[in-house]
């Protein structure tokens, strides 16, 4: 069974926490250590960012991390090499998150084959058109038992959400707002209504809420309205401040979230 499906099927009522970081930032060779540290400290699954020069959906924190990673020499091939080196030491799901341009440059078949060989369980490609996913990407990803995770936003229609829910597997990434990534102090009434509206749809796939989670208030709001939360910008900032020391960054993150790992 794919590790993503296994995690969600076995979680029971436990809420999940996923963290995102950009591979190659703040240091080129820190990827493996960050992954192993996050697993050891109780993170449920990890999104590993593929750095790209024009990350349209990302705010300044992740854009800066991507720029630093590229300057450090990170590439898709280097990332796959790093992941292969630790695949037998990592048991939680790894999800690659990146834009279509570098993936197409590598070639879809090579990319998904490399994912499978590197212990990756799924991918998130924010700028992948759903039509292209269905016609071109899904047949390849299915062949390698990889989940392609789709995003929804407050602007996504109910018809579109149900269509995505019917044609994907793993989980749905529920973006808290239509804006770029970045920490928020709270979720306003409009976002709360969006969460309630999606809850009422009783979708087949579990949902994870991301974009803007940075403190106890936003984390608990995500936990009340989904299977769990995804944190990116806040952890990326802390990891950079800690010069790549993932333990130190996690200590600060858990304190900000008033969070104690459940496992």
């Amino acid at each position: 069974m794919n590790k993503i499906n296994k995690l969600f099927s076995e979680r029971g009522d436990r809420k999940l926490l996923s963290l995102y970081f950009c591979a190659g930032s703040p240091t080129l060779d820190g990827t493996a250590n960050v992954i192993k540290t996050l697993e050891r400290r109780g993170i449920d699954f990890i999104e590993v960012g593929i750095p790209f020069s024009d990350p349209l959906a990302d705010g300044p924190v992740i854009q800066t991390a991507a720029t630093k990673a590229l300057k450090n020499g990170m590439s898709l091939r280097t990332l796959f090499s790093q992941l292969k080196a630790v695949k037998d030491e990592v048991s939680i799901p790894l999800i690659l998150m990146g834009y279509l341009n570098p993936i197409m440059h590598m070639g879809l078949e090579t990319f998904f084959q490399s994912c499978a060989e590197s212990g990756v369980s799924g991918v998130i490609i924010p700028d992948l058109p759903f039509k292209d996913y269905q016609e071109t990407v899904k047949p390849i990803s299915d062949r390698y038992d990889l989940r392609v995770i789709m995003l929804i936003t407050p602007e996504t229609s109910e018809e579109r959400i149900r269509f995505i829910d019917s044609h994907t597997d793993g989980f749905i990434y529920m973006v808290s707002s239509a804006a770029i990534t970045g920490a928020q102090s709270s979720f306003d009434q409009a976002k709360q209504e969006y969460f309630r509206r999606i809850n009422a749809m009783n979708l087949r796939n579990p949902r994870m809420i991301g974009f803007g989670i940075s403190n106890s208030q936003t984390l608990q709001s995500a936990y009340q309205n989904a299977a769990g939360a995804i944190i990116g910008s806040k952890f990326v900032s802390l990891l950079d401040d800690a010069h790549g020391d993932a333990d130190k960054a996690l200590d600060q993150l858990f304190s900000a979230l008033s969070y104690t790992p459940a496992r």
Side-chain angles (χ1 to χ4, degrees):
M1 178 186 287
N2 180 283
K3 286 183 180 181
I4 297 171
N5 298 91
K6 188 171 188 292
L7 172 65
F8 281 94
S9 67
E10 295 179 353
R11 74 179 181 91
D13 294 327
R14 184 171 67 85
K15 299 298 183 178
L16 304 179
L17 181 63
S18 173
L19 297 187
Y20 165 98
F21 75 99
C22 183
S25 181
T27 64
L28 177 63
D29 298 322
T31 304
N33 181 65
V34 172
I35 289 171
K36 290 191 288 185
T37 302
L38 297 190
E39 177 168 24
R40 173 171 54 80
R41 294 290 299 272
I43 300 304
D44 294 295
F45 66 93
I46 302 169
E47 292 180 19
V48 182
I50 303 167
F52 181 52
S53 58
D54 192 22
L56 296 176
D58 294 311
V61 169
I62 294 178
Q63 286 185 22
T64 299
T67 298
K68 183 178 290 188
L70 292 172
K71 287 181 177 178
N72 287 342
M74 179 53 71
S75 67
L76 253 181
R77 295 189 186 279
T78 299
L79 174 56
F80 281 131
S81 176
Q82 293 177 347
L83 294 177
K84 282 181 183 178
V86 295
K87 62 175 290 190
D88 294 332
E89 303 174 52
V90 179
S91 60
I92 62 174
L94 298 180
I95 298 174
L96 291 190
M97 185 169 187
Y99 293 86
L100 197 53
N101 185 289
I103 294 171
M104 294 300 292
H105 184 73
M106 171 175 273
L108 286 172
E109 186 77 33
T110 302
F111 173 76
F112 281 104
Q113 182 178 353
S114 298
C115 284
E117 293 172 349
S118 304
V120 173
S121 299
V123 300
I124 300 171
I125 309 172
D127 57 343
L128 173 65
F130 200 82
K131 185 172 185 290
D132 292 347
Y133 158 71
Q134 285 187 290
E135 296 177 357
T136 306
V137 174
K138 190 175 188 300
I140 301 173
S141 62
D142 285 352
R143 188 155 65 245
Y144 292 102
D145 193 30
L146 285 155
R147 303 294 174 261
V148 180
I149 307 303
M150 289 290 170
L151 289 77
I152 64 171
T153 77
E155 275 66 48
T156 309
S157 69
E158 179 172 334
E159 180 183 14
R160 178 77 167 178
I161 291 170
R162 292 200 182 280
F163 189 75
I164 289 172
D165 188 46
S166 298
H167 292 86
T168 61
D169 191 17
F171 68 93
I172 290 174
Y173 193 131
M174 189 172 166
V175 177
S176 67
S177 73
I180 56 175
T181 57
Q184 300 176 40
S185 61
S186 64
F187 289 140
D188 60 24
Q189 190 60 38
K191 292 185 178 67
Q192 296 288 348
E193 179 56 36
Y194 160 57
F195 296 159
R196 287 192 288 269
R197 176 169 61 87
I198 304 303
N199 267 334
M201 292 178 67
N202 295 314
L203 300 176
R204 178 178 61 88
N205 280 299
R207 303 174 317 284
M208 295 287 290
I209 294 178
F211 284 45
I213 297 169
S214 63
N215 56 25
S216 178
Q217 183 178 354
T218 47
L219 177 67
Q220 292 308 314
S221 180
Y223 275 3
Q224 290 166 12
N225 291 283
I230 299 168
I231 298 176
S233 295
K234 180 70 173 181
F235 180 67
V236 170
S237 293
L238 292 172
L239 187 63
D240 189 61
D241 291 345
H243 306 290
D245 185 333
D247 270 312
K248 184 176 179 180
L250 279 175
D251 287 342
Q252 294 176 309
L253 179 66
F254 289 169
S255 176
L257 299 173
S258 302
Y259 176 80
T260 302
R263 66 175 186 82

